[in-house]
Amino acid sequence: MVSRLIACCLLAVVLIAADDAAGDPDDVDLDSLPSASPTLEDFGYFLSRLDERSKSNALNILADLSSDSRLDPAQVAVVLRSLLDDANPPTDYGYGCGNCLLRRLSDLLAPLRLKGPQVAPPLNGAMVIRLNDGFLKRLSREASDEVGGSLTGLVQALLDGYQLAGKFRGDSYVRYHARGGDPTKEPAFFTDADALAKHEEGLDEPLDAWSLARYQCTRPPTNRFDPGFLVLYFDPTKACTQVRIPTAGDSENPDFRPTPASETEAGRTCGGAPEWVCPNVPLSEMTRVRYVPHTSYTQGIARPR
Protein backbone atom coordinates (compact mmCIF):
# COMPACT_ATOMS: atom_id res chain seq x y z
CA MET A 1 0.00 0.00 0.00
CA VAL A 2 2.79 2.39 0.95
CA SER A 3 4.71 1.62 -2.24
CA ARG A 4 1.61 2.36 -4.34
CA LEU A 5 1.14 5.69 -2.55
CA ILE A 6 4.80 6.58 -3.09
CA ALA A 7 4.49 5.73 -6.77
CA CYS A 8 1.37 7.89 -7.19
CA CYS A 9 2.99 10.81 -5.41
CA LEU A 10 6.18 10.66 -7.43
CA LEU A 11 4.34 10.12 -10.70
CA ALA A 12 2.41 13.31 -10.04
CA VAL A 13 5.64 15.21 -9.39
CA VAL A 14 7.21 13.90 -12.59
CA LEU A 15 4.15 14.68 -14.71
CA ILE A 16 3.88 18.21 -13.31
CA ALA A 17 7.57 18.84 -13.92
CA ALA A 18 7.26 17.50 -17.46
CA ASP A 19 4.24 19.63 -18.22
CA ASP A 20 5.98 22.69 -16.83
CA ALA A 21 9.09 22.03 -18.87
CA ALA A 22 7.38 22.20 -22.27
CA GLY A 23 3.99 22.92 -23.74
CA ASP A 24 4.15 19.89 -26.06
CA PRO A 25 4.63 16.55 -24.23
CA ASP A 26 6.39 15.16 -27.31
CA ASP A 27 9.19 17.68 -26.75
CA VAL A 28 9.95 16.58 -23.18
CA ASP A 29 13.40 15.03 -22.68
CA LEU A 30 12.48 12.20 -20.34
CA ASP A 31 16.14 11.42 -19.67
CA SER A 32 16.55 14.81 -17.98
CA LEU A 33 13.68 14.38 -15.52
CA PRO A 34 15.26 12.03 -12.94
CA SER A 35 18.00 14.56 -12.13
CA ALA A 36 15.41 17.22 -11.27
CA SER A 37 12.59 15.10 -9.88
CA PRO A 38 12.66 12.72 -6.90
CA THR A 39 12.48 9.05 -7.80
CA LEU A 40 10.71 6.12 -6.22
CA GLU A 41 14.01 4.85 -4.87
CA ASP A 42 14.79 8.28 -3.36
CA PHE A 43 11.62 8.42 -1.30
CA GLY A 44 11.67 4.72 -0.47
CA TYR A 45 15.06 5.16 1.20
CA PHE A 46 14.25 8.56 2.63
CA LEU A 47 11.19 7.33 4.55
CA SER A 48 12.58 3.92 5.46
CA ARG A 49 13.31 4.78 9.11
CA LEU A 50 9.75 5.90 9.87
CA ASP A 51 7.00 3.59 11.09
CA GLU A 52 4.18 2.69 8.72
CA ARG A 53 1.69 5.24 10.06
CA SER A 54 4.26 8.03 9.76
CA LYS A 55 5.11 6.92 6.23
CA SER A 56 1.44 7.08 5.28
CA ASN A 57 1.06 10.56 6.74
CA ALA A 58 4.25 11.74 5.03
CA LEU A 59 3.03 10.45 1.68
CA ASN A 60 -0.29 12.25 2.08
CA ILE A 61 1.59 15.51 2.64
CA LEU A 62 3.90 14.97 -0.33
CA ALA A 63 1.00 13.99 -2.59
CA ASP A 64 -0.89 17.16 -1.63
CA LEU A 65 2.15 19.30 -2.39
CA SER A 66 2.62 17.69 -5.80
CA SER A 67 -1.06 17.94 -6.77
CA ASP A 68 -2.02 21.42 -5.54
CA SER A 69 -2.79 23.41 -8.69
CA ARG A 70 -2.40 26.71 -6.82
CA LEU A 71 1.33 26.12 -6.22
CA ASP A 72 4.19 26.68 -8.65
CA PRO A 73 5.39 23.18 -9.68
CA ALA A 74 8.99 24.37 -9.99
CA GLN A 75 8.98 25.70 -6.42
CA VAL A 76 7.43 22.47 -5.16
CA ALA A 77 10.15 20.47 -6.93
CA VAL A 78 12.80 22.56 -5.17
CA VAL A 79 11.22 21.81 -1.78
CA LEU A 80 11.01 18.07 -2.45
CA ARG A 81 14.57 17.89 -3.74
CA SER A 82 15.88 19.88 -0.77
CA LEU A 83 13.96 17.62 1.60
CA LEU A 84 15.77 14.62 0.14
CA ASP A 85 19.24 16.06 -0.37
CA ASP A 86 19.98 18.52 2.43
CA ALA A 87 20.14 16.11 5.37
CA ASN A 88 20.05 12.45 6.36
CA PRO A 89 16.74 10.58 6.24
CA PRO A 90 14.58 11.48 9.24
CA THR A 91 14.42 9.12 12.20
CA ASP A 92 11.27 10.74 13.60
CA TYR A 93 8.12 12.18 12.07
CA GLY A 94 7.28 15.23 14.18
CA TYR A 95 8.77 18.59 15.18
CA GLY A 96 10.89 17.59 18.17
CA CYS A 97 14.32 17.44 16.52
CA GLY A 98 16.23 19.32 13.84
CA ASN A 99 16.10 16.41 11.41
CA CYS A 100 12.52 15.34 12.18
CA LEU A 101 10.42 15.23 9.03
CA LEU A 102 7.80 17.85 9.88
CA ARG A 103 10.35 20.22 11.41
CA ARG A 104 12.48 20.11 8.25
CA LEU A 105 9.48 20.38 5.97
CA SER A 106 8.04 23.37 7.86
CA ASP A 107 11.33 25.22 7.32
CA LEU A 108 11.51 24.33 3.63
CA LEU A 109 7.91 25.39 3.00
CA ALA A 110 8.56 28.98 4.08
CA PRO A 111 8.68 30.26 0.43
CA LEU A 112 5.33 28.58 -0.28
CA ARG A 113 3.40 30.02 2.66
CA LEU A 114 0.38 32.21 1.92
CA LYS A 115 0.54 31.80 -1.86
CA GLY A 116 -3.15 31.02 -2.42
CA PRO A 117 -5.56 33.59 -3.90
CA GLN A 118 -6.32 36.54 -1.63
CA VAL A 119 -10.05 36.67 -0.83
CA ALA A 120 -12.54 38.44 1.40
CA PRO A 121 -12.81 36.98 4.92
CA PRO A 122 -16.04 35.90 6.62
CA LEU A 123 -17.51 38.35 9.11
CA ASN A 124 -16.89 36.00 12.03
CA GLY A 125 -13.94 33.66 12.23
CA ALA A 126 -13.40 30.55 14.33
CA MET A 127 -10.21 28.59 14.90
CA VAL A 128 -10.30 25.04 16.22
CA ILE A 129 -7.35 23.84 18.27
CA ARG A 130 -6.73 20.71 20.30
CA LEU A 131 -6.76 21.10 24.07
CA ASN A 132 -3.77 19.40 25.72
CA ASP A 133 -1.12 19.91 28.36
CA GLY A 134 0.92 22.13 26.05
CA PHE A 135 -1.94 24.59 25.86
CA LEU A 136 -1.44 25.47 29.53
CA LYS A 137 1.83 27.20 28.59
CA ARG A 138 -0.17 29.76 26.60
CA LEU A 139 -2.12 30.95 29.63
CA SER A 140 -1.03 33.93 31.68
CA ARG A 141 0.36 33.14 35.12
CA GLU A 142 -2.78 34.52 36.75
CA ALA A 143 -5.06 32.37 34.60
CA SER A 144 -2.96 29.28 35.24
CA ASP A 145 -3.27 29.86 38.97
CA GLU A 146 -7.02 30.40 38.64
CA VAL A 147 -7.55 26.99 37.04
CA GLY A 148 -5.14 25.14 39.32
CA GLY A 149 -2.26 24.81 36.85
CA SER A 150 -3.44 21.47 35.44
CA LEU A 151 -5.29 20.31 32.34
CA THR A 152 -7.97 18.68 34.44
CA GLY A 153 -8.41 21.89 36.41
CA LEU A 154 -8.72 23.91 33.22
CA VAL A 155 -11.34 21.57 31.77
CA GLN A 156 -13.35 21.62 34.99
CA ALA A 157 -13.16 25.42 35.04
CA LEU A 158 -14.37 25.59 31.44
CA LEU A 159 -17.26 23.27 32.27
CA ASP A 160 -18.13 25.60 35.15
CA GLY A 161 -18.23 28.61 32.80
CA TYR A 162 -14.68 29.96 33.07
CA GLN A 163 -13.98 32.50 30.30
CA LEU A 164 -10.58 32.11 28.60
CA ALA A 165 -10.72 35.20 26.36
CA GLY A 166 -8.18 37.71 27.61
CA LYS A 167 -6.38 35.10 29.76
CA PHE A 168 -3.45 34.39 27.45
CA ARG A 169 0.21 35.33 27.51
CA GLY A 170 1.02 38.25 25.25
CA ASP A 171 3.47 36.20 23.15
CA SER A 172 1.10 33.27 22.53
CA TYR A 173 -0.17 32.50 19.03
CA VAL A 174 -2.86 30.22 17.67
CA ARG A 175 -0.40 28.04 15.76
CA TYR A 176 3.07 27.09 16.92
CA HIS A 177 4.96 24.04 15.70
CA ALA A 178 8.63 24.68 15.08
CA ARG A 179 10.38 24.60 18.45
CA GLY A 180 12.53 27.71 18.65
CA GLY A 181 11.04 29.04 15.41
CA ASP A 182 9.29 32.30 14.63
CA PRO A 183 5.53 31.88 15.26
CA THR A 184 4.71 34.88 13.07
CA LYS A 185 5.76 32.77 10.05
CA GLU A 186 3.23 30.01 10.82
CA PRO A 187 0.00 30.49 8.83
CA ALA A 188 -3.17 29.95 10.86
CA PHE A 189 -6.23 28.12 9.48
CA PHE A 190 -9.74 29.19 10.36
CA THR A 191 -13.36 28.60 9.41
CA ASP A 192 -16.58 30.61 9.35
CA ALA A 193 -18.15 30.82 12.80
CA ASP A 194 -21.60 31.33 11.28
CA ALA A 195 -21.18 28.27 9.05
CA LEU A 196 -20.17 26.24 12.10
CA ALA A 197 -23.28 27.41 13.95
CA LYS A 198 -25.47 26.45 10.98
CA HIS A 199 -23.80 23.05 10.80
CA GLU A 200 -24.43 22.54 14.50
CA GLU A 201 -28.12 23.34 14.09
CA GLY A 202 -28.44 20.41 11.70
CA LEU A 203 -26.95 17.85 14.10
CA ASP A 204 -29.13 15.33 15.89
CA GLU A 205 -26.93 15.51 19.00
CA PRO A 206 -25.08 18.42 20.65
CA LEU A 207 -21.73 19.25 19.09
CA ASP A 208 -18.96 17.19 20.66
CA ALA A 209 -15.29 16.57 19.91
CA TRP A 210 -16.02 13.76 17.47
CA SER A 211 -18.56 15.65 15.36
CA LEU A 212 -16.37 18.77 15.36
CA ALA A 213 -13.37 16.71 14.25
CA ARG A 214 -15.37 15.28 11.34
CA TYR A 215 -16.53 18.72 10.23
CA GLN A 216 -13.05 20.22 10.47
CA CYS A 217 -11.39 17.10 9.06
CA THR A 218 -8.93 16.77 11.89
CA ARG A 219 -7.81 13.90 14.08
CA PRO A 220 -10.56 12.96 16.57
CA PRO A 221 -9.87 12.11 20.22
CA THR A 222 -7.56 9.12 20.44
CA ASN A 223 -8.40 7.88 23.92
CA ARG A 224 -10.31 8.77 27.09
CA PHE A 225 -7.46 11.02 28.25
CA ASP A 226 -8.01 13.43 25.32
CA PRO A 227 -10.10 16.42 26.54
CA GLY A 228 -11.32 17.60 23.13
CA PHE A 229 -11.10 20.98 21.38
CA LEU A 230 -11.33 24.70 21.88
CA VAL A 231 -13.13 26.92 19.37
CA LEU A 232 -11.54 30.38 19.34
CA TYR A 233 -13.75 33.15 17.97
CA PHE A 234 -12.25 36.31 16.47
CA ASP A 235 -12.77 39.07 13.92
CA PRO A 236 -10.66 38.24 10.85
CA THR A 237 -11.14 41.74 9.42
CA LYS A 238 -9.15 43.07 12.39
CA ALA A 239 -6.83 40.18 13.29
CA CYS A 240 -5.66 39.20 9.78
CA THR A 241 -3.50 41.42 7.59
CA GLN A 242 -4.42 39.17 4.64
CA VAL A 243 -6.80 36.25 4.08
CA ARG A 244 -6.17 33.60 1.46
CA ILE A 245 -7.45 30.28 0.19
CA PRO A 246 -5.09 27.75 1.77
CA THR A 247 -2.69 25.57 -0.18
CA ALA A 248 -0.62 22.54 0.74
CA GLY A 249 2.29 24.95 1.24
CA ASP A 250 0.57 26.42 4.29
CA SER A 251 0.54 23.24 6.33
CA GLU A 252 2.34 19.99 7.05
CA ASN A 253 -1.01 18.42 7.92
CA PRO A 254 -1.75 15.02 6.32
CA ASP A 255 -5.49 15.69 6.68
CA PHE A 256 -5.34 18.84 4.52
CA ARG A 257 -6.63 18.47 0.99
CA PRO A 258 -6.13 21.06 -1.78
CA THR A 259 -9.25 22.57 -3.33
CA PRO A 260 -9.57 22.95 -7.11
CA ALA A 261 -8.92 26.32 -8.72
CA SER A 262 -12.65 26.54 -9.48
CA GLU A 263 -13.19 27.31 -5.76
CA THR A 264 -12.77 31.09 -5.74
CA GLU A 265 -14.07 32.17 -2.33
CA ALA A 266 -12.70 29.67 0.21
CA GLY A 267 -10.98 26.37 0.69
CA ARG A 268 -12.91 23.40 2.01
CA THR A 269 -12.10 20.66 4.51
CA CYS A 270 -12.96 17.06 3.71
CA GLY A 271 -15.76 17.45 6.28
CA GLY A 272 -17.32 20.33 4.36
CA ALA A 273 -16.21 23.29 6.49
CA PRO A 274 -15.15 26.45 4.64
CA GLU A 275 -11.51 27.19 5.29
CA TRP A 276 -9.13 30.14 5.01
CA VAL A 277 -5.60 30.93 6.11
CA CYS A 278 -3.99 34.14 7.35
CA PRO A 279 -0.74 35.16 9.05
CA ASN A 280 -0.59 33.68 12.52
CA VAL A 281 -2.95 35.33 14.99
CA PRO A 282 -2.07 36.22 18.62
CA LEU A 283 -4.38 34.59 21.14
CA SER A 284 -4.99 38.06 22.52
CA GLU A 285 -7.22 38.65 19.47
CA MET A 286 -9.71 36.02 20.58
CA THR A 287 -13.03 37.54 21.64
CA ARG A 288 -14.60 34.31 22.92
CA VAL A 289 -13.45 30.76 23.63
CA ARG A 290 -15.72 27.74 23.63
CA TYR A 291 -14.86 24.30 24.94
CA VAL A 292 -16.13 21.35 22.87
CA PRO A 293 -15.65 18.32 25.10
CA HIS A 294 -14.74 14.72 24.56
CA THR A 295 -17.42 13.07 26.69
CA SER A 296 -15.27 10.15 27.80
CA TYR A 297 -12.78 12.58 29.31
CA THR A 298 -15.30 14.83 31.03
CA GLN A 299 -17.16 11.86 32.49
CA GLY A 300 -13.90 10.64 33.98
CA ILE A 301 -13.25 13.91 35.84
CA ALA A 302 -16.83 14.63 36.88
CA ARG A 303 -17.02 15.82 40.46
CA PRO A 304 -19.62 14.34 42.78
CA ARG A 305 -22.59 16.62 43.27
Side-chain angles (χ1 to χ4, degrees):
M1 178 65 178
V2 169
S3 296
R4 290 198 298 271
L5 286 170
I6 295 175
C8 290
C9 174
L10 297 176
L11 178 60
V13 173
V14 170
L15 291 176
I16 290 172
D19 186 63
D20 191 62
D24 184 353
D26 295 334
D27 294 333
V28 175
D29 182 2
L30 296 178
D31 292 334
S32 69
L33 288 177
S35 62
S37 302
T39 66
L40 178 61
E41 291 77 13
D42 288 334
F43 273 111
Y45 172 71
F46 179 72
L47 299 174
S48 61
R49 298 184 183 183
L50 301 180
D51 60 56
E52 290 304 307
R53 180 179 294 275
S54 295
K55 287 179 184 177
S56 177
N57 286 338
L59 290 165
N60 280 337
I61 296 169
L62 297 176
D64 288 341
L65 280 169
S66 66
S67 64
D68 196 323
S69 62
R70 302 184 195 275
L71 294 175
D72 182 345
Q75 290 183 315
V76 171
V78 169
V79 169
L80 295 178
R81 177 51 63 189
S82 297
L83 183 66
L84 291 173
D85 292 347
D86 291 353
N88 293 325
T91 56
D92 198 0
Y93 173 73
Y95 296 89
C97 62
N99 194 38
C100 290
L101 177 66
L102 297 187
R103 173 65 183 273
R104 285 187 56 202
L105 188 58
S106 67
D107 292 338
L108 292 171
L109 286 175
L112 298 182
R113 301 296 202 200
L114 295 170
K115 295 298 184 182
Q118 191 160 356
V119 294
L123 294 177
N124 301 295
M127 296 182 174
V128 177
I129 65 173
R130 191 173 303 277
L131 182 56
N132 53 32
D133 286 309
F135 182 80
L136 292 173
K137 299 177 182 178
R138 305 182 186 187
L139 299 181
S140 67
R141 180 176 299 179
E142 294 78 8
S144 182
D145 291 341
E146 288 172 354
V147 301
S150 69
L151 184 59
T152 302
L154 173 58
V155 170
Q156 189 63 66
L158 291 169
L159 291 173
D160 290 341
Y162 185 77
Q163 298 299 313
L164 266 180
K167 304 287 187 177
F168 301 105
R169 289 171 41 180
D171 59 350
S172 294
Y173 284 79
V174 169
R175 186 180 179 196
Y176 181 67
H177 285 142
R179 186 177 300 174
D182 183 354
T184 64
K185 296 182 179 179
E186 293 270 9
F189 287 74
F190 67 96
T191 189
D192 184 346
D194 297 328
L196 175 59
K198 185 175 181 180
H199 170 75
E200 188 173 359
E201 289 175 359
L203 297 176
D204 294 330
E205 300 290 339
L207 185 72
D208 64 3
W210 281 89
S211 55
L212 180 60
R214 285 194 296 270
Y215 182 61
Q216 288 295 125
C217 195
T218 191
R219 178 173 57 86
T222 55
N223 54 55
R224 65 185 180 88
F225 301 106
D226 191 334
F229 299 96
L230 294 178
V231 181
L232 312 173
Y233 295 89
F234 72 109
D235 183 349
T237 64
K238 296 179 179 179
C240 296
T241 55
Q242 55 180 296
V243 172
R244 295 180 181 270
I245 295 176
T247 74
D250 293 316
S251 174
E252 312 82 56
N253 180 2
D255 294 322
F256 173 80
R257 290 296 176 268
T259 52
S262 58
E263 294 281 352
T264 58
E265 296 182 354
R268 190 75 56 178
T269 71
C270 68
E275 189 172 51
W276 296 267
V277 66
C278 77
N280 211 354
V281 179
L283 285 169
S284 59
E285 293 287 344
M286 300 303 122
T287 58
R288 182 166 65 95
V289 180
R290 176 188 179 188
Y291 173 48
V292 179
H294 178 211
T295 306
S296 296
Y297 182 92
T298 55
Q299 288 177 341
I301 68 168
R303 297 182 303 197
R305 296 293 180 180

